[in-house]
Amino acid sequence: MSAERAPLCLDITRLVRRAGTDPLTGIDRVERAYLAGCLASGRSFRAYCRTALGWIEAGPAAAAAFLDWVDGALPPPAGKVGALIARKTR
């Protein structure tokens, strides 16, 4: 009998806030690699992002779409989702 593996959890808040800005820093590239690794592993996981209204939980499909946005394959989210994860400007 094999033991079931617990799902992975990944906080992608920093990567979400930095996406679409200047080139990613080393920390951002590592977080991106972790996200890509979670997607490639086929293992159950959830990505989390902190917003002004609380935490957003994203499953693999949403995380894959986000990764496409980070990589420039998709435009940034619009509407309410875009407003929730938009980077604060000063």
Side-chain angles (χ1 to χ4, degrees):
M1 183 179 217
S2 65
E4 190 172 323
R5 295 169 76 175
L8 300 170
C9 296
L10 181 64
D11 180 350
I12 59 170
T13 302
R14 180 184 168 94
L15 189 59
V16 168
R17 300 241 166 126
R18 303 265 311 146
T21 61
D22 294 329
L24 299 177
T25 67
I27 293 169
D28 301 327
R29 290 190 304 270
V30 168
E31 191 168 297
R32 188 222 167 271
Y34 272 116
L35 180 56
C38 286
L39 288 166
S41 74
R43 190 168 166 193
S44 176
F45 83 97
R46 292 285 183 258
Y48 294 90
C49 177
R50 185 168 180 140
T51 71
L53 298 177
W55 288 90
I56 293 176
E57 178 182 349
F66 171 70
L67 192 58
D68 286 342
W69 170 42
V70 169
D71 293 342
L74 289 177
K80 291 180 182 178
V81 172
L84 280 175
I85 63 173
R87 195 171 160 206
K88 293 181 182 178
T89 56
R90 294 179 186 198

